[in-house]
Amino acid sequence: MNQKEFDLWAGSYDKSVGLSDQQNTYPFAGYRQVLGEIYRDVLSQPAKTVLDIGFGTGVLTAGLYQQGCQIFGQDFSQRMIELVQEKMPQARLYQGDFSQGLALPLTQRTYDAIVATYSLHHLEDGQKAAFLQSLLPLLNPGGRIYIGDVAFASRAELEACRLAVGEDWDQEEFYFVYEKLKPLLPGLEFTPCSFCAGILKLG
């Protein structure tokens, strides 16, 4: 998708995601569980400065914001930013394509948690690993990176899902495969949340 397409999708994003999750269908089966587990894990930590990469309509970070977290973020869509800024007036949000890097102000501080939900699948595997490695120096001691996305433990599981989904499979996205990324990212952990979603943790 280009920026205009993301802007057009902004208004109906939550509804389309919720329907897929409720019906337990690809690609958003397990969405609420993914966000819920990340939410609880972040709030279980003593300090709460959070960077959200590709925050969309801000479902996760708006909840964290309401619990007193200091929120920073970057998203591709200016319309998404406008919607989220209304929910989180004090959040510091920047527009930009994270595949080209983070906005400079975001790289000049550190965070207790860095989250990316259903956003990094636009990066190829090598780009994912390099991008996540670049985020590690931005973590405070004890901080963690949380990735919630369409994700699979193995390539075999991804292929089984792709065959089951058929023509609805999105050929333009590059989904997480834990067994492929783990050798590139020591310490990476994976927790499945549905047949097509999971949480990866690093840090």
Side-chain angles (χ1 to χ4, degrees):
M1 283 190 185
N2 58 35
Q3 182 181 341
K4 184 176 180 181
E5 289 171 322
F6 274 109
D7 290 345
L8 291 172
W9 196 24
S12 61
Y13 182 82
D14 290 341
K15 183 177 180 179
S16 60
V17 168
L19 186 61
S20 175
D21 185 20
Q22 183 179 5
Q23 296 178 346
N24 197 40
T25 58
Y26 162 91
F28 292 113
Y31 177 83
R32 284 172 294 179
Q33 182 180 344
V34 167
L35 267 60
E37 291 193 15
I38 294 175
Y39 174 84
R40 289 189 293 272
D41 209 358
V42 170
L43 291 180
S44 73
Q45 308 304 316
K48 300 176 180 66
T49 302
V50 180
L51 169 62
D52 192 343
I53 300 169
F55 49 78
T57 55
V59 174
L60 173 60
T61 42
L64 294 172
Y65 180 87
Q66 291 168 4
Q67 295 299 316
C69 291
Q70 187 177 12
I71 302 296
F72 298 79
Q74 179 168 320
D75 197 86
F76 190 49
S77 167
Q78 184 60 42
R79 180 56 183 154
M80 293 283 196
I81 292 172
E82 292 167 2
L83 292 172
V84 172
Q85 198 77 71
E86 293 177 3
K87 300 177 184 178
M88 304 185 295
Q90 301 303 316
R92 301 180 197 177
L93 308 177
Y94 299 86
Q95 193 276 330
D97 182 353
F98 58 76
S99 69
Q100 305 300 314
L102 294 178
L104 185 59
L106 296 176
T107 66
Q108 296 179 330
R109 60 168 302 120
T110 55
Y111 308 92
D112 301 304
I114 299 175
V115 302
T117 53
Y118 294 85
S119 57
L120 300 188
H121 53 244
H122 297 291
L123 302 178
E124 296 182 12
D125 288 341
Q127 292 175 305
K128 286 188 184 77
F131 184 65
L132 292 174
Q133 287 168 344
S134 77
L135 297 178
L136 289 171
L138 302 181
L139 288 174
N140 289 327
R144 302 196 84 180
I145 298 170
Y146 300 88
I147 305 108
D149 215 315
V150 178
F152 304 89
S154 67
R155 184 72 191 181
E157 290 185 7
L158 181 150
E159 290 299 330
C161 183
R162 183 179 65 82
L163 289 173
V165 169
E167 63 182 16
D168 290 331
W169 184 262
D170 193 332
Q171 301 289 347
E172 296 182 357
E173 297 184 344
F174 306 95
Y175 298 129
F176 284 86
V177 177
Y178 174 63
E179 68 177 7
K180 187 169 184 179
L181 287 172
K182 184 169 174 55
L184 304 175
L185 297 164
L188 185 68
E189 303 171 9
F190 176 64
T191 303
C193 295
S194 77
F195 71 91
C196 66
I199 299 169
L200 296 105
K201 299 178 185 179
L202 183 65

